[in-house]
Each structure stands twice: as C-alpha cells, then as structure tokens.
Amino acid sequence: MPDAVAIVIHPHRKDAEDRAMDMARWLRNEGVRAFFPQRGETADRCQMVLTFGGDGTLLAGAEFALKYDCPLMGINMGTVGFLTEGDPDQMELIFRSILSRNYSVEPRGLLQVGINDEPEKMLALNDAVITRGGYARLIQVETWIGGEHWGTFVADGVIAATPTGSTGYSLSAGGPVIAPGVECIAVTPVCAHSLQHSPCIVPADAKIRFLLRAERDQQAQLQIDGRSVRTLTAGDTVRVSGAGRSLKLARIREYRFFTVLRNKLDEWSSSGTEHNHT
C-alpha cells in the first residue's frame, strides 16, 4: 500500500483541479493519503508525485519528486506532452497502477547549476538559460568547456540543455533533438551574431562555464526550467555540469519517444505557432 501520493495541479485550469480532486478521493477511499504540496502540505514519505496539467506542471512537480526521491507521473490535460504520461480518459488505469505499483520508472538526467563560487547549487530537468530578457542589447557570454575556451557568444542568450530539455527552448533556438537515455548536454546559442557559433553536444560530465563579460556594462537573467531565478551582472559566472543524479519518471505503458516527437511537431506545424519553453 502506498505511503502517500503528492498531487500538483496546473494553477489556472479548472478541469485539472476537478480531475485531481477525483483522484484524491479515490486514493483516500483506498486508505492512501493524498496531499497537495503547493498548499504547503507535507508527508514523511511519498510513493509518487502526480501532476495534472502539461509539461510545465510536470516540471513544477519535479521539485517535489526530487525532495521525496520518488517517481513522478504527469496526467496530460491539454495537447501532446513530451513528459506527461496519461490523459484524463486513463484515470482509472492510472489509479489502479498506483495502488498495485504496476508501473515502470524511466530515469532522466539532471543538470547542476551554480553561480560564481556560491555553495548553493540548483537542479534543472530541462535547461539552464542565460538570456538578455528585457536588456536592450545583445549580451556577451564567454564560454568554456572543460577548462578549454570555446568562444564568446554575442547573442540573445545561451542554453545548456539536457536530452529532456532538447525538445524545448533549445529546439526553438536551432538545437538538436536528443533521444532520452543519451548522456550529454547540448549548448545552444540563441540568435547568435556569428554563424561560427553553432550548437554543440558535450559529455554529461563536462564542466561548462559561462561568464557574462565584465568589459561590458550588461545584465542578463538566469532561468532554470523556465523560471527566472537570478539577475546576472557583468562579471558573474554560471557553472553547469551533469548533476550525477536522475529524476524518475513513472510510466504505465511503453514510452515511444519518436512517435511523441512526430505528433508534437505535427501539432506545432498545424497550429502555426512556436512552442513554449516549458
């Protein structure tokens, strides 16, 4: 019997809230505690974090899955998702799978992100992005890979993405699609001023260092998985490497990455709009 199940809900979707409340009632009727970490509720142990929304909601749930070191499963309430597992029509199947622990776990590598020499490190499932944000001019970012100077990006920004994040902002910026399970990091400039600066794939254990050049009066934003976490000023350094740990995605069926990719690209093409970072 599960210890507890955490439920994370898209904050602006009534249908997601309704489905989540249904799931909570089903679980509680079976003697399983369902709690809502977005409301500040906690548990001593957690079998699974269950999200109701899209890939962005699943990214929000990842924080709690890492905290409890448990699997994460997303119920997709909208269009095709790269990370979400089920849809509302599968609610009973998902409920029974949780109760019986009849699901597989797929590991997804994480990035570790640090600023300057500060001891605190942040984790990213998708990407770490240095972006000019509202800054008027292109930013200049010196880049080192494993201690070797690669060059200076004069660009709107630069992205360090996991394979999971390769289908997000990095793909929009011209980066490659990387299949899950490949251990690497994609470094992708955003609208670089020079064509010499193309995307680059480096090993997952590479030590990447980005320096916002001090010779120029400039500012930038550091974003982790789509959330702005820090304003950077000239002379600040962002260090990125593989975290050496994984997020566990729960699957109730075989995950067919290239089928999902094809469907998602068809969806974007038919809508005529660019996809969001998250």
Side-chain angles (χ1 to χ4, degrees), residues 150-165:
W150 180 15
T152 303
F153 292 123
V154 181
D156 282 349
V158 59
I159 305 163
T162 63
T164 299

Side-chain angles (χ1 to χ4, degrees), residues 137-270:
R137 296 186 295 173
L138 299 179
I139 57 175
Q140 296 184 2
V141 184
E142 297 273 6
T143 305
W144 283 263
I145 308 291
E148 183 178 0
H149 186 249
W150 180 15
T152 303
F153 292 123
V154 181
D156 282 349
V158 59
I159 305 163
T162 63
T164 299
S166 72
T167 54
Y169 191 14
S170 178
L171 180 59
S172 293
V177 171
I178 305 170
V182 178
E183 296 184 359
C184 66
I185 302 171
V187 181
T188 307
V190 182
C191 298
H193 187 64
S194 171
L195 294 179
Q196 290 179 321
H197 292 145
S198 58
C200 180
I201 303 296
V202 302
D205 60 356
K207 307 299 182 184
I208 304 168
R209 180 160 64 98
F210 300 114
L211 170 66
L212 201 61
R213 290 191 64 180
E215 292 83 357
R216 182 175 184 175
D217 183 18
Q218 56 181 338
Q219 287 188 337
Q221 291 292 318
L222 174 62
Q223 298 177 347
I224 303 293
D225 287 345
R227 296 178 294 107
S228 292
V229 298
R230 182 79 165 264
T231 297
L232 304 172
T233 57
D236 281 341
T237 296
V238 176
R239 303 177 190 274
V240 179
S241 64
R245 61 181 294 196
S246 299
L247 178 76
K248 296 176 282 192
L249 286 183
R251 302 289 189 191
I252 58 172
R253 58 188 174 187
E254 181 184 6
Y255 179 64
R256 303 178 66 85
F257 171 74
F258 289 101
T259 299
V260 174
L261 175 64
R262 184 183 68 248
N263 292 338
K264 194 66 177 176
L265 293 178
D266 287 345
E267 176 189 300
W268 290 332
S269 297
S270 63

Side-chain angles (χ1 to χ4, degrees), residues 1-7 23 27 30-35 42-50 64-73 94-105 248-252:
M1 186 61 67
D3 301 311
V5 172
I7 296 178
M23 178 63 77
L27 291 169
E30 294 293 330
V32 180
R33 184 184 173 214
F35 69 101
T42 62
D44 293 333
R45 294 181 297 176
C46 184
Q47 182 203 340
M48 180 180 290
V49 175
L50 197 58
F64 304 108
L66 291 170
K67 173 183 176 181
Y68 288 105
D69 190 27
C70 68
L72 172 68
M73 183 187 294
I94 293 166
F95 168 62
R96 297 298 173 191
S97 297
I98 293 171
L99 288 181
S100 63
R101 300 178 185 262
N102 185 25
Y103 51 83
S104 61
V105 173
K248 296 176 282 192
L249 286 183
R251 302 289 189 191
I252 58 172

Side-chain angles (χ1 to χ4, degrees), residues 8-9 38 49 51 54-65 72 227:
V8 175
I9 309 171
Q38 291 161 303
V49 175
T51 69
D55 283 352
T57 309
L58 188 138
L59 287 173
E63 173 188 350
F64 304 108
L72 172 68
R227 296 178 294 107

Side-chain angles (χ1 to χ4, degrees), residues 64-139:
F64 304 108
L66 291 170
K67 173 183 176 181
Y68 288 105
D69 190 27
C70 68
L72 172 68
M73 183 187 294
I75 311 302
N76 187 25
M77 300 300 300
T79 54
V80 177
F82 279 111
L83 299 174
T84 49
E85 164 65 14
D87 59 55
D89 294 336
Q90 297 177 307
M91 284 277 286
E92 186 170 351
L93 172 61
I94 293 166
F95 168 62
R96 297 298 173 191
S97 297
I98 293 171
L99 288 181
S100 63
R101 300 178 185 262
N102 185 25
Y103 51 83
S104 61
V105 173
E106 175 189 334
R108 293 295 184 100
L110 303 167
L111 299 178
Q112 177 177 276
V113 185
I115 303 173
N116 299 325
D117 294 320
E118 297 173 8
E120 181 181 359
K121 301 296 187 290
M122 296 165 283
L123 295 175
L125 174 61
N126 265 5
D127 49 34
V129 181
I130 300 173
T131 174
R132 68 187 179 101
Y135 185 67
R137 296 186 295 173
L138 299 179
I139 57 175

